[in-house]
C-alpha cells in the first residue's frame, strides 16, 4: 500500500500565534498588536480555519480591512492558505469550503459602512490592522452580528501596528491604563452579561 503523505499548508508558530489560538480561544475579543512582521494576518486566517471542519455551513466568517487596496494584499495570502481547500468567488469576494463554511473579505472605509450588514450573522470576525480605523464605530456595531443561530462559537479577532489613527481607542479597549499584555479583561455589558477582551503583544522576532 502506497504511503500517504499529508502536506501541512499552515500551522501556528510557537509564540503569540499558538498562544492566542490555544490559551485565549475562549476570549470574546482578542487583539494581537506589535511591529510589522510577526504574522498577524496569518494568525487571523488560522484562527478562522480552526472551526471550519467542525461547524461546516454554520461557520461564517467576516474578514475586514480599512480599504480595498489593503484588502487586495490579503487576497494573495488567502490564495496561498485557503486556495487548496476552498473556492474563491470574485463577484462577492467570498471563500467557500466544500462543507458550506465561508469567509467573506470586506472593507469598511466610512463610519456608516456597518449598516450594510444589519441582520447578518458572522460568528467569527477578523479585523486586520484595526487601528487604521480612526474610531470604533464600525467595529463595535459589527459585534451585534457576532452570533450564530446554529450554536457555533463566537469570537472577534483583530491585529494592528502602532502609529495608526485609531491606536488610542484600540489601546483603551484592549489594554486600558494599568493592564498588562496578556491580561483577560472582564467587561459588563448593558444587558448585564459579561464579555472578555485581551491584548497579546507580538514582534518580528516571533515570526
Amino acid at each position: 500500500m502506497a504511503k500517504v503523505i499529508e502536506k501541512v499548508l499552515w500551522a501556528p508558530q510557537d509564540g503569540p500565534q499558538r498562544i492566542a489560538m490555544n490559551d485565549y480561544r475562549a476570549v470574546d475579543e482578542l487583539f494581537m498588536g506589535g511591529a510589522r512582521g510577526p504574522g498577524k494576518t496569518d494568525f487571523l486566517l488560522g484562527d478562522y480555519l480552526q472551526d471550519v471542519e467542525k461547524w461546516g455551513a454554520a461557520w461564517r466568517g467576516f474578514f475586514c480591512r480599512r480599504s480595498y487596496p489593503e484588502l487586495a494584499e490579503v487576497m494573495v495570502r488567502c490564495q496561498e492558505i485557503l486556495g487548496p481547500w476552498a473556492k474563491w468567488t470574485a463577484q462577492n469576494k467570498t471563500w467557500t469550503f466544500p462543507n458550506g463554511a465561508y469567509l467573506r473579505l470586506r472593507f469598511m472605509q466610512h463610519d456608516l459602512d456597518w449598516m450594510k450588514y444589519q441582520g447578518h450573522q458572522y460568528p467569527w470576525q477578523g479585523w486586520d490592522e484595526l487601528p487604521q480605523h480612526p474610531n470604533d464605530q464600525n467595529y463595535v456595531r459589527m459585534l451585534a452580528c457576532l452570533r450564530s443561530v446554529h450554536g457555533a462559537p463566537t469570537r472577534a479577532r483583530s491585529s494592528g501596528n502602532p502609529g495608526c489613527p485609531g491606536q488610542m481607542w484600540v489601546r483603551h479597549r484592549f489594554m486600558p491604563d494599568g493592564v498588562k499584555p496578556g491580561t483577560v479583561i472582564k467587561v459588563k455589558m448593558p444587558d448585564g452579561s459579561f464579555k472578555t477582551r485581551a491584548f497579546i503583544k507580538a514582534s518580528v522576532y516571533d515570526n
Side-chain angles (χ1 to χ4, degrees), residues 38 70 78 87 91 96 98 103 139 148 153 165 186 204:
E70 295 161 339
C78 284
K87 178 183 178 182
Q91 184 176 2
T96 305
L103 179 65
Y139 176 82
S148 171
K186 193 174 183 180
V204 67

Side-chain angles (χ1 to χ4, degrees), residues 47-82:
D47 189 88
Y48 165 78
L49 286 171
Q50 288 184 102
D51 288 294
V52 167
E53 183 176 354
K54 180 178 181 179
W55 289 97
W59 195 236
R60 306 170 181 178
F62 172 92
F63 190 109
C64 184
R65 285 294 300 260
R66 171 70 171 165
S67 69
Y68 181 76
E70 295 161 339
L71 188 62
E73 297 178 4
V74 177
M75 292 179 187
V76 176
R77 190 57 177 147
C78 284
Q79 181 62 53
E80 296 171 344
I81 297 178
L82 309 184

Side-chain angles (χ1 to χ4, degrees), residues 130-142:
L130 182 62
Q132 289 185 0
H133 295 261
N135 59 61
D136 67 356
Q137 184 168 149
N138 281 318
Y139 176 82
V140 171
R141 294 284 189 170
M142 283 299 296

